[in-house]
Amino acid sequence: MSDVVYAGVGMVCKEGFLRKCLERVEGVEVLVDLCHRLRLVDRETVERDFGMLGGELGTENATRSRVKRFLVQVLVYHHTIKPSEARRLRELPLYPNESLLWDSNWVGPMEGGQGGLSKVLPKMSLQFLSFSDYLLRCFKLLRLESAYEIRSDLVDVIWRMRPALRHGYAHDMGYGAGVDEDDELKKKRSMTEFHGWSRMGLELVDDDGVSPVRLIKVSPPKLGESIPAEVLAEFTIDLKRCGESIRREWDSIGEFDNLFLMGIDAASVNGGPTSMLEEMKGENKYGALADDMNFPKRYGIIAVRGCMVLEVRDEDGNVLSDPSYQPVKSDKPKDTIKRYFKVALDPAQYAADATGKGSLFGLKVYQTLNVVVRRHGKENNFKAVLETVRSLMTGEGSINRSIPRWLQPVLLGYGDPASASFQSKKMIHFAEITPGVTPPDAALDYGDTFVNESHLRSSFEGNVVVDGRKDCDESKPQTRLNYRIKIDCKNGESNIIATSYPFLPDVSGNPVPFTPVQVKAIRSGLSPGLTMIVGPPGTGKTDVAVQIISNLYHSFPSQRTVLITHSNAALNDLFEKVMARGDIDERYCLRLGFGERDLQMETQFDFTKTGRVNHILSRRLNLLEEVQLLSESLGISGSAERGPDGSPSYTCETAAYFYLHHIQKRIQIFNNQVENDHLTASIGELYPFGKYFNFSDSALAVLTLEEAKKSFERIQTIFDELAEYRPLELLRSQKQRIDYLLTKQVKIVAMTCTHAAIARSQLIQLGFQYDNIVMEEAGQMLDIETFVPLLLQSGEIESMSRLKRICLIGDHHQLPPIVKNKDFSIFSNFDQSLFARLIRLGVPTIELNMQGRSRADIAELYNWRYNNLGNLGHISTDNKFLSCNPGFVHTYQLINVNDFEGRGEYSPTPYFYQNIGEAEYAVALFQYMVLIGYPPERISILTTYNGQKGLIEDIVSQRCGNGTPLAGIRPQSISTVDKYQGQQNDYIILSLVRTKSVGHLRDIRRLIVTVSRARLGMYVLCRQSLFAQCHDLKRVIDQFIKKPTKLELVTGEDYNTQRKANEQIPSEKKFVIDDVTVLGSIVHKMQQQLIS
């Protein structure tokens, strides 16, 4: 103990030093006495618990060793400095290993339910102590949820690959004395073979005969850290046995993709594989394989290590992961098709392995890895998100600088929940002192929000004055105008003062006549502060978002707006509507992420980063050609100055000098001459650019001064635009140009919430800044997924954040964020969105109250869930909403489907529910609709389970496959209800699948999504007796069962039939479908008639 006595406090507080000194103490009695004197343990309790009676220590070495380990641990625990939570997180592996994946205390089964009550899981509540507290909970839950999803994928791959002991090897292959450990590991790997296959997993190739995974670099730790800065490795796979499509999938793996390396030892298999079909006997008797905590023992999993791809090469040394690489097709057959992967391993996991804490094998664990598993890209971004959250925790000060002070207490759940609303005193004061924000007493620019003056007047309550007029002048035609509006509220009265200005020519602009509530939402979105818009189905959430974005773009041209959505489909839809307006220059728009290629724009340019740069360079050449033509028309240069290929001789820089010395000079001379009172020449004789514009003598003779000045403006716009492109001439690399475009030029940047988390560190490094953020689908984003996009810029100064407007648009009555593990969703409340949390806290919202999607009777299935949700005028006037669904008696109907061939729901694998009767009925109904003339693209088939979706797709492929009368015809979509949220179609065929229990449709939010997808017709296939008994669904099911529960058709009608929905149908024309066989026979006869 002398080392402890003379050591400083700093040394004693270190765990390694203190443990080393204490373990050198030979007498256990000394440690007992020391702990007793320090009042850490009671002497009698220790003696009793360890079997030491009479105050005398036992003589057995095992007992004394146990006592010593216990006492050393007690002393170390109480006298060493615990690492901070931030340091623990820095040293925590981001990739889950085999210990975490199959630890039931943390990552339990999917149907955890009440099991979560006994687990030490963090919980997402309404309020948080600090941003550190908030981020720590989010990080832990994100890590555990991603581990559960990863476990499910890994289990599926290994189960399909079917590892087995190679024939001829004995099972008792333990480590023998005197046997080289590397040889032993190599022999163990050779004992394992795979009798199955999986498209997502491959066996590694052992090139060097030592290990399939070769460690090539371990960088020393950075200053102040204890884990390696970088750990690099290589491995090889052979795609020779893979088909062409699977080979393309593996070759599509690029830089920064995540893979998982697994060690499978068939010799350690305990009990052998169990058939999944046997597991499903009874009511999910054994559950899913992913929930089997003994799966590693039964399939020989001894190690799981994650890695990130840095480079992929083929046998010729070509870098396949390089985006610029173009594959060369070769007809020469090869014995092998090898791919060489260079990957970065998790440094924290490597450090744990090196100390023996991560694996019993130590660093030899990397020699046991013999399988690589890939995952789908959409599900494989967990590491980047976790890194972002962890980096936020280590630099919490940046949060206080990035998020405005007026928003921070609202996000944490403290203070006045209405304090961030644009009408609060705090936000009014903020508007008064903040540049770039319209003062509260100034007019807001509503742009083209109103289609005419009458629309403007009907959108506000109070005294409306337009251009000084209290009443609308009906004698004049109402032309399209833009408006600036000031709202003055005094003595309980609202005075609305509107001033018009010209509408932009040659643009489509806003086509939507917004309701008063939508106008209120747009006003809030233009004002500083937090805007919360609740949009029930069909109420025009996206149209409101587009109008807010357009108004911000025109009102504050120097500000940048970021668009965030949960899904690529919603983001593309929002971005397309923004561009379809025609009043936003496409060079100021940029789409980040991996879904930008799906944009269906009526333009030859794409909106990716590379596409925007290419568009600008192409546009630059066109403008320089105009400058060249202008110069030649003035006689300043000739065609001889052009390049060898005829390209213009000007650059953006020389064009600026040309404008300064030649164009401005001529314009100034022209202006001086026309202002001369003694002018005798005509405007056309003095006009200097007649040759450039190809004006004839007669056109110049009648040229007016106003027309001449407009042509000067056209010329000036050419040089103004070229001035914006000038920096791209100085930046030579594509990356530099992209970075410049992102940080300096674009005004509207669109991305998904996932991509925002992935790209945050890069955006911060580039100095990206923005002033406004609009989030669609906010109700479907996790709390942290909404929080991170608020932090895509670093704060400018401690007391000021650049962010001025935050607009969240969503519907908390529809589906919440997807969390697969019920422990995390039910117990930890991890599926709570920030949008729903703020509403529960009492933050003011604007709820849109008029829907224009569905027929009035279909809207009644879900409008009860909202406050006074009504119908827009066209619902009661448009012919398509008043007409019938040809061939059907009812516009919507619940159809009872009994067991088909004695079978209702069934599960070939756990949680993979199918119902063959409902699937056959849905496809037969689709065929019937197509055969009487319904366009297939106006029909969607939805279901509540992935298993049923796959079954329906198979049946459609058979019934509408090659050689059938309906060959190649498919519905617009076959999807699950969850994936179809945010989409709609005219006619929906819905299969509810379950016949034994209601299942997850019991969630009322899922039910609202389900019944709100159809515009004109909905036909629901289900077991009526089961769903009618569910109290949660009673409000909707009761409306369904007011109509007959057997499908009723109208004979003799086709799609072109003109009949009103409320017309009485003669009984002789009605035909009742008893079951699916009857409908199938009708469809068969119709197909035979079609053939004949």
Side-chain angles (χ1 to χ4, degrees):
M1 298 291 289
S2 58
D3 292 340
V4 177
V5 173
Y6 293 108
V9 174
M11 288 295 294
V12 175
C13 291
K14 292 182 178 180
E15 179 179 351
F17 173 79
L18 183 58
R19 185 180 296 276
K20 183 178 178 181
C21 294
L22 293 173
E23 287 177 348
R24 286 207 301 261
V25 176
E26 295 183 358
V28 180
E29 294 84 352
V30 176
L31 294 177
V32 174
D33 186 60
L34 177 61
C35 291
H36 181 71
R37 289 174 181 272
L38 291 172
R39 298 189 178 183
L40 298 179
V41 298
D42 180 65
R43 186 194 306 272
E44 295 181 359
T45 303
V46 172
E47 294 171 351
R48 182 181 66 250
D49 291 345
F50 287 93
M52 304 171 195
L53 303 176
E56 295 182 2
L57 295 173
T59 57
E60 295 183 8
N61 291 333
T63 302
R64 297 178 68 86
S65 177
R66 283 167 48 224
V67 174
K68 184 175 181 179
R69 287 200 306 271
F70 168 71
L71 297 174
V72 168
Q73 186 61 38
V74 169
L75 289 166
V76 168
Y77 177 81
H78 284 89
H79 292 90
T80 56
I81 297 177
K82 309 296 184 299
S84 65
E85 196 68 47
R87 178 165 183 173
R88 286 180 181 174
L89 291 181
R90 283 199 302 269
E91 297 177 356
L92 189 69
L94 294 180
Y95 293 103
N97 58 19
E98 67 280 1
S99 300
L100 177 63
L101 289 172
W102 282 277
D103 186 346
S104 59
N105 292 320
W106 289 107
V107 188
M110 175 181 180
E111 302 288 343
Q114 298 297 321
L117 297 178
S118 62
K119 297 177 182 177
V120 188
L121 293 174
K123 191 170 185 177
M124 297 298 293
S125 55
L126 293 179
Q127 298 173 310
F128 300 93
L129 297 175
S130 64
F131 285 119
S132 291
D133 175 44
Y134 167 77
L135 291 171
L136 179 61
R137 295 172 188 238
C138 289
F139 178 85
K140 290 181 177 179
L141 288 171
L142 266 176
R143 183 168 177 261
L144 295 176
E145 171 65 13
S146 62
Y148 175 79
E149 295 176 3
I150 291 166
R151 183 177 75 190
S152 302
D153 292 341
L154 298 183
V155 164
D156 180 70
V157 169
I158 299 304
W159 176 77
R160 293 178 185 276
M161 293 182 70
R162 293 165 53 200
L165 193 64
R166 194 180 298 274
H167 181 68
Y169 282 93
H171 287 267
D172 52 348
M173 289 290 297
Y175 288 99
V179 179
D180 183 82
E181 196 171 340
D182 291 340
D183 292 340
E184 188 69 26
L185 290 171
K186 180 180 177 182
K187 197 169 185 179
K188 276 182 167 291
R189 289 195 306 271
S190 66
M191 293 166 55
T192 303
E193 62 180 0
F194 299 92
H195 291 172
W197 70 278
S198 171
R199 69 186 308 121
M200 307 301 289
L202 286 175
E203 188 175 3
L204 299 181
V205 176
D206 192 352
D207 277 340
D208 60 2
V210 177
S211 173
V213 177
R214 303 172 291 280
L215 297 175
I216 58 175
K217 181 181 179 181
V218 179
S219 301
K222 296 179 180 178
L223 186 65
E225 296 185 359
S226 59
I227 61 174
E230 186 180 43
V231 180
L232 303 183
E234 285 185 342
F235 63 84
T236 308
I237 60 173
D238 192 350
L239 303 178
K240 180 69 174 178
R241 296 175 57 191
C242 298
E244 188 63 30
S245 62
I246 299 179
R247 194 178 303 161
R248 282 197 301 268
E249 291 176 7
W250 281 95
D251 282 342
S252 67
I253 295 175
E255 189 178 12
F256 306 124
D257 284 348
N258 294 307
L259 301 175
F260 284 88
L261 302 169
M262 302 184 69
I264 309 297
D265 180 12
S268 63
V269 169
N270 180 11
T274 303
S275 169
M276 295 184 72
L277 293 177
E278 292 176 3
E279 291 178 351
M280 288 306 298
K281 289 179 180 179
E283 187 67 24
N284 289 337
K285 183 177 180 182
Y286 295 100
L289 278 180
D291 296 338
D292 181 9
M293 296 298 111
N294 291 320
F295 185 86
K297 295 180 180 179
R298 295 199 293 113
Y299 284 81
I301 299 176
I302 57 177
V304 177
R305 295 292 180 268
C307 61
M308 183 178 70
V309 176
L310 300 179
E311 185 181 87
V312 184
R313 292 176 288 107
D314 62 12
E315 293 174 288
D316 299 324
N318 299 312
V319 181
L320 306 183
S321 55
D322 186 352
S324 62
Y325 171 73
Q326 296 294 331
V328 179
K329 210 166 186 181
S330 175
D331 298 329
K332 185 178 179 181
K334 294 184 177 181
D335 295 331
T336 60
I337 305 178
K338 291 185 177 180
R339 299 291 182 261
Y340 301 93
F341 287 77
K342 181 180 179 181
V343 297
L345 298 173
D346 194 323
Q349 184 64 58
Y350 180 87
D353 292 333
T355 59
K357 296 179 180 179
S359 172
L360 296 176
F361 293 95
L363 290 180
K364 297 292 183 182
V365 69
Y366 296 97
Q367 296 184 27
T368 67
L369 304 174
N370 55 356
V371 172
V372 60
V373 177
R374 62 185 175 91
R375 303 176 70 220
H376 294 293
K378 293 181 180 179
E379 305 166 352
N380 212 20
N381 298 316
F382 68 96
K383 180 175 181 285
V385 178
L386 288 173
E387 282 181 329
T388 297
V389 178
R390 186 166 66 178
S391 67
L392 288 172
M393 293 190 64
T394 56
E396 189 188 350
S398 63
I399 297 178
N400 296 320
R401 292 193 300 271
S402 300
I403 296 181
R405 291 191 178 276
W406 47 263
L407 184 63
Q408 293 179 20
V410 176
L411 293 179
L412 291 175
Y414 296 106
D416 181 8
S419 61
S421 174
F422 76 99
Q423 293 177 321
S424 68
K425 293 182 179 179
K426 180 183 288 189
M427 294 315 304
I428 292 174
H429 176 69
F430 174 78
E432 291 173 345
I433 64 172
T434 305
V437 177
T438 306
D441 57 346
L444 281 175
D445 190 347
Y446 281 76
D448 60 355
T449 301
F450 308 100
V451 295
N452 52 42
E453 185 179 328
S454 297
H455 178 214
L456 185 153
R457 291 182 179 275
S458 65
S459 299
F460 294 97
E461 294 181 355
N463 302 317
V464 181
V465 179
V466 180
D467 292 334
R469 291 178 282 104
K470 291 187 176 181
D471 298 313
C472 185
D473 189 353
E474 301 291 346
S475 61
K476 295 182 180 180
Q478 295 197 21
T479 57
R480 189 73 184 267
L481 295 169
N482 292 348
Y483 295 93
R484 294 185 182 90
I485 299 176
K486 178 181 178 180
I487 301 177
D488 187 13
C489 297
K490 290 183 179 179
N491 301 324
E493 274 194 5
S494 296
N495 297 309
I496 294 91
I497 303 171
T499 306
S500 65
Y501 64 95
F503 180 73
L504 292 174
D506 303 323
V507 299
S508 57
N510 164 47
V512 181
F514 290 111
T515 66
V517 177
Q518 288 175 320
V519 171
K520 181 182 178 182
I522 293 169
R523 177 193 175 192
S524 179
L526 292 175
S527 304
L530 173 64
T531 299
M532 299 274 293
I533 302 174
V534 178
T539 52
K541 298 186 290 291
T542 304
D543 292 326
V544 171
V546 169
Q547 191 63 37
I548 291 173
I549 293 162
S550 174
N551 290 354
L552 289 173
Y553 171 82
H554 292 292
S555 301
F556 309 100
S558 63
Q559 296 184 9
R560 181 177 290 123
T561 301
V562 174
L563 313 184
I564 302 290
T565 65
H566 177 259
S567 64
N568 279 307
L571 186 58
N572 290 342
D573 181 43
L574 180 63
F575 203 72
E576 287 174 12
K577 287 188 174 182
V578 168
M579 294 309 306
R581 292 173 51 92
D583 60 343
I584 297 178
D585 196 325
E586 66 178 31
R587 74 177 186 268
Y588 293 126
C589 299
L590 180 65
R591 164 75 161 86
L592 301 180
F594 303 103
E596 69 273 6
R597 298 287 179 183
D598 299 329
L599 279 171
Q600 303 297 322
M601 305 299 300
E602 294 181 0
T603 173
Q604 59 180 321
F605 307 111
D606 63 64
F607 286 87
T608 65
K609 290 183 288 188
T610 304
R612 290 295 83 206
V613 171
N614 293 338
H615 162 64
I616 287 176
L617 294 178
S618 174
R619 176 72 177 160
R620 167 185 166 275
L621 287 177
N622 294 335
L623 293 176
L624 290 177
E625 178 63 26
E626 293 297 319
V627 174
Q628 183 73 32
L629 294 174
L630 182 58
S631 176
E632 292 174 359
S633 70
L634 297 175
I636 297 172
S637 64
S639 57
E641 275 101 1
R642 288 179 175 267
D645 57 350
S647 59
S649 60
Y650 285 93
T651 64
C652 292
E653 182 179 4
T654 56
Y657 296 135
F658 171 71
Y659 177 74
L660 179 65
H661 295 294
H662 297 282
I663 303 301
Q664 279 191 335
K665 177 182 177 181
R666 284 166 170 77
I667 293 176
Q668 186 175 1
I669 292 172
F670 174 84
N671 289 332
N672 292 335
Q673 289 175 336
V674 298
E675 291 173 1
N676 189 351
D677 295 335
H678 305 289
L679 177 67
T680 57
S682 66
I683 297 294
E685 292 175 348
L686 300 175
Y687 185 68
F689 307 119
K691 186 176 180 180
Y692 171 72
F693 287 107
N694 293 324
F695 287 162
S696 62
D697 293 339
S698 58
L700 287 173
V702 296
L703 184 69
T704 64
L705 181 61
E706 183 180 355
E707 291 173 341
K709 289 186 176 181
K710 284 185 177 180
S711 69
F712 295 159
E713 292 176 359
R714 287 178 56 189
I715 293 175
Q716 185 176 353
T717 57
I718 294 175
F719 292 94
D720 288 345
E721 189 171 343
L722 282 173
E724 294 184 18
Y725 300 155
R726 183 174 175 180
L728 273 72
E729 291 182 340
L730 306 176
L731 303 172
R732 292 302 179 183
S733 72
Q734 189 81 333
K735 184 180 184 305
Q736 288 176 328
R737 289 171 173 172
I738 289 172
D739 293 344
Y740 174 82
L741 181 69
L742 179 61
T743 56
K744 300 296 182 183
Q745 184 169 351
V746 295
K747 304 300 179 186
I748 298 176
V749 182
M751 68 188 88
T752 63
C753 57
T754 302
H755 188 79
I758 294 172
R760 179 185 177 271
S761 59
Q762 180 188 3
L763 294 175
I764 294 290
Q765 188 177 6
L766 291 175
F768 178 75
Q769 292 183 323
Y770 57 103
D771 305 87
N772 317 297
I773 185 166
V774 178
M775 296 194 198
E776 250 266 56
E777 297 184 319
Q780 293 179 255
M781 301 180 195
L782 292 172
D783 202 316
I784 189 66
E785 289 178 333
T786 313
F787 183 75
V788 168
L790 303 176
L791 301 163
L792 300 182
Q793 60 186 346
S794 58
E796 295 178 346
I797 56 177
E798 185 65 28
S799 60
M800 181 70 70
S801 167
R802 180 164 174 167
L803 198 55
K804 302 173 182 67
R805 302 170 187 87
I806 298 100
C807 183
L808 304 183
I809 306 173
D811 184 4
H812 59 296
H813 292 305
Q814 297 189 54
L815 282 174
I818 297 175
V819 176
K820 294 183 178 180
N821 191 290
K822 286 193 175 181
D823 276 348
F824 307 143
S825 61
I826 296 175
F827 176 76
S828 296
N829 205 24
F830 192 44
D831 64 348
Q832 173 182 259
S833 65
L834 177 63
F835 186 78
R837 179 163 69 88
L838 293 179
I839 290 177
R840 291 180 64 190
L841 285 167
V843 174
T845 62
I846 300 172
E847 184 169 321
L848 307 183
N849 63 346
M850 302 293 282
Q851 73 87 25
R853 173 188 298 173
S854 305
R855 294 180 187 269
D857 54 349
I858 294 179
E860 289 178 359
L861 295 171
Y862 59 86
N863 62 13
W864 57 270
R865 186 65 176 167
Y866 301 93
N867 295 324
N868 303 317
L869 179 60
N871 302 317
L872 290 172
H874 69 270
I875 297 295
S876 57
T877 58
D878 281 10
N879 186 58
K880 69 176 182 179
F881 292 106
L882 299 177
S883 299
C884 70
N885 293 342
F888 293 91
V889 174
H890 307 284
T891 55
Y892 70 89
Q893 199 173 356
L894 184 145
I895 303 163
N896 182 54
V897 181
N898 293 316
D899 288 352
F900 182 71
E901 297 178 350
R903 198 175 195 186
E905 72 166 75
Y906 59 95
S907 302
T909 61
Y911 313 123
F912 197 76
Y913 295 104
Q914 295 181 336
N915 187 319
I916 185 65
E918 290 185 15
E920 291 282 5
Y921 208 131
V923 176
L925 188 55
F926 166 71
Q927 290 176 289
Y928 168 76
M929 295 176 72
V930 172
L931 288 168
I932 65 173
Y934 282 81
E937 66 273 8
R938 298 181 66 184
I939 306 170
S940 293
I941 302 178
L942 304 183
T943 181
T944 47
Y945 290 92
N946 279 314
Q948 185 76 344
K949 172 198 166 190
L951 181 60
I952 292 173
E953 287 177 337
D954 291 342
I955 295 176
V956 169
S957 299
Q958 293 174 4
R959 302 287 187 269
C960 304
N962 295 332
T964 64
L966 299 179
I969 294 178
R970 292 180 64 86
Q972 184 263 343
S973 178
I974 300 175
S975 178
T976 61
V977 170
D978 292 24
K979 291 291 180 64
Y980 207 68
Q981 180 168 343
Q983 304 176 59
Q984 59 273 330
N985 208 344
D986 287 348
Y987 305 98
I988 298 294
I989 301 171
L990 174 65
S991 169
L992 299 186
V993 185
R994 303 300 294 272
T995 59
K996 298 177 182 178
S997 63
V998 172
H1000 60 206
L1001 191 66
R1002 188 182 298 273
D1003 188 337
I1004 198 69
R1005 296 170 296 187
R1006 182 170 283 104
L1007 177 67
I1008 295 300
V1009 175
T1010 302
V1011 298
S1012 61
R1013 301 303 98 197
R1015 298 190 191 100
L1016 304 177
M1018 167 172 278
Y1019 301 95
V1020 181
L1021 310 172
C1022 70
R1023 184 64 53 87
Q1024 182 236 328
S1025 59
L1026 172 68
F1027 289 91
Q1029 294 174 1
C1030 180
H1031 176 75
D1032 298 325
L1033 312 181
K1034 186 174 178 59
R1035 186 75 179 264
V1036 175
I1037 299 299
D1038 283 353
Q1039 294 187 56
F1040 270 113
I1041 60 179
K1042 290 178 182 178
K1043 302 179 184 291
T1045 57
K1046 288 187 178 181
L1047 179 63
E1048 293 186 345
L1049 305 180
V1050 180
T1051 58
E1053 288 189 349
D1054 61 18
Y1055 183 66
N1056 297 318
T1057 299
Q1058 297 297 319
R1059 172 172 58 86
K1060 296 299 181 183
N1062 56 2
E1063 282 185 22
Q1064 292 294 325
I1065 303 170
S1067 57
E1068 62 271 13
K1069 279 197 165 188
K1070 294 182 181 179
F1071 186 84
V1072 179
I1073 303 297
D1074 289 326
D1075 55 31
V1076 65
T1077 56
V1078 175
L1079 182 59
S1081 63
I1082 292 175
V1083 169
H1084 178 71
K1085 289 178 182 178
M1086 296 174 71
Q1087 288 180 321
Q1088 294 301 317
Q1089 292 173 2
L1090 182 65
I1091 294 173
S1092 62

